[in-house]
Amino acid sequence: MRLLGKLRSLLDSARQKQLERGSSLKVVFFHALYDGQQPSAALDPLLSHSTDQLAACIDRIRAEGREFLHPKDLGKQLPQKGRFALLTFDDGYANNRLALPVLRSKKVSAAFFITSRPVETQQSYWWDVLHRESARRNVSAEDLSATRKLLKLKSPEGIQQELTSRFGADCWTPHGDADRPLDLAELAKFAAEPEVVIGNHTRDHALLAQCGESELEEQLESCQQILAQVVGTRPTLLAYPNGRSNDAVLHAARRAGIQTAFTTRSALAPLPLPPSQHLLIPRLAP
């Protein structure tokens, strides 16, 4: 089994090197943004990047000879050949507005995937709550990682109950602009920017492959409806929380009107991309 795993890894590596030279789409995903040298202590540093890192990422991709796509063009036919790139941001942080000056100066657009309930409730994202409350209690990195993995096995309601039980109801209050979600008015204004396209990231950041049929439909459709009310159109783009999907998730995404969806599988997407893969486009960390 180990030998087979190593062979698959070698084949994947060779395939990716070939794609680097040939026709492919490189999609990169960010989460929280910050100005300066260090993220706020209220943010999970594993999911935070500086605006300088964003700018450097764009320059590095351009140096590879790639052309950035505008997310609004993804609903059309994807390019058949060439070397392309796309920027994406997950969750709906208010700090994502820091991307705008960088995007404008670099003449690049991006897709921003919004989890709708935090935008409505203005509660912190659970991973930031876990990070900062664990830091206050001097929890080891090893124990923090183990807890994070266990929480991902729970439903959104289960995560809420677990963290509230551990840290108290006030743990969900954001510490400021650095870690809070966009509010509804800010989202409407942000979505109107020409560099911005809004996509679905579920209602509660639910791991969709773990959801039953009714919950799966609710997570996608509730987010679709809220975003349509705020932005004016139903999104056609989706990023699966934690990149997880299965056949039931793909069928539900199509029923919700999703045309293009993204995983977190670390790879380039080969071009031309067959229609069967339009809901399974891989993404790379910066």
Side-chain angles (χ1 to χ4, degrees):
M1 293 298 290
R2 288 183 180 178
L3 180 59
L4 283 174
K6 288 182 179 179
L7 286 173
R8 289 194 189 98
S9 179
L10 287 171
L11 287 171
D12 287 343
S13 178
R15 192 177 297 115
Q16 288 302 303
K17 287 180 180 178
Q18 184 178 10
L19 285 175
E20 283 284 1
R21 296 189 295 269
S23 293
S24 62
L25 171 62
K26 184 175 192 173
V27 185
V28 178
F29 67 106
F30 291 83
H31 296 86
L33 282 180
Y34 61 91
D35 273 330
Q37 299 301 312
Q38 296 291 332
S40 164
L43 288 170
D44 184 340
L46 296 178
L47 300 175
S48 305
H49 289 84
S50 72
T51 52
D52 286 343
Q53 289 172 322
L54 171 61
C57 177
I58 294 171
D59 290 342
R60 187 168 60 250
I61 291 172
R62 280 216 169 106
E64 297 171 1
R66 294 185 180 275
E67 176 186 348
F68 279 93
L69 296 177
H70 196 297
K72 70 181 180 182
D73 295 330
L74 293 177
K76 307 171 185 176
Q77 187 174 2
L78 286 169
Q80 295 296 295
K81 59 186 298 186
R83 291 165 56 76
F84 298 95
L86 178 72
L87 287 181
T88 66
F89 293 78
D90 287 3
D91 304 323
Y93 282 98
N95 61 45
N96 282 181
R97 293 175 298 176
L98 295 171
L100 286 175
V102 178
L103 298 179
R104 289 168 184 153
S105 69
K106 303 292 185 182
K107 295 180 171 54
V108 174
S109 301
F112 293 82
F113 295 101
I114 308 299
T115 300
S116 60
R117 195 191 293 275
V119 171
E120 294 182 276
T121 64
Q122 286 297 286
Q123 287 189 333
S124 293
Y125 299 101
W126 73 258
W127 47 91
D128 290 330
V129 171
L130 177 64
H131 163 73
R132 63 180 177 242
E133 295 297 335
S134 296
R136 286 178 179 175
R137 292 160 176 79
N138 296 315
V139 174
S140 69
E142 182 178 307
D143 287 345
L144 174 59
S145 178
T147 301
R148 188 185 291 113
K149 289 178 182 178
L150 288 173
L151 286 174
K152 287 182 179 182
L153 299 175
K154 294 179 177 289
S155 67
E157 293 79 9
I159 294 173
Q160 180 101 9
Q161 291 170 4
E162 178 69 23
L163 294 183
T164 301
S165 175
R166 287 189 183 207
F167 306 131
D170 289 344
C171 73
W172 296 98
T173 302
H175 285 206
D177 287 348
D179 66 309
R180 68 176 177 84
L182 290 159
D183 64 30
L184 292 171
E186 290 168 339
L187 176 58
K189 184 177 180 180
F190 188 57
E193 299 289 349
E195 297 84 9
V196 173
V197 172
I198 298 299
N200 187 319
H201 202 42
T202 75
R203 182 187 65 193
D204 297 301
H205 203 270
L207 304 193
L208 296 175
Q210 298 174 189
C211 292
E213 183 177 355
S214 61
E215 175 65 9
L216 175 55
E217 298 283 351
E218 179 64 21
Q219 286 291 334
L220 291 172
E221 185 57 33
S222 177
C223 186
Q224 287 288 80
Q225 291 179 11
I226 290 295
L227 294 180
Q229 292 170 14
V230 175
V231 175
T233 57
R234 284 173 65 90
T236 60
L237 307 180
L238 166 68
Y240 306 113
N242 283 98
R244 301 182 189 181
S245 66
N246 56 26
D247 287 345
V249 172
L250 301 186
H251 290 313
R254 291 189 185 97
R255 288 194 295 273
I258 298 300
Q259 298 175 6
T260 310
F262 300 88
T263 71
T264 54
R265 184 171 68 87
S266 185
L268 300 172
L271 295 176
L273 190 68
S276 62
Q277 296 300 301
H278 285 198
L279 295 184
L280 292 168
I281 297 176
R283 293 191 294 172
L284 295 158

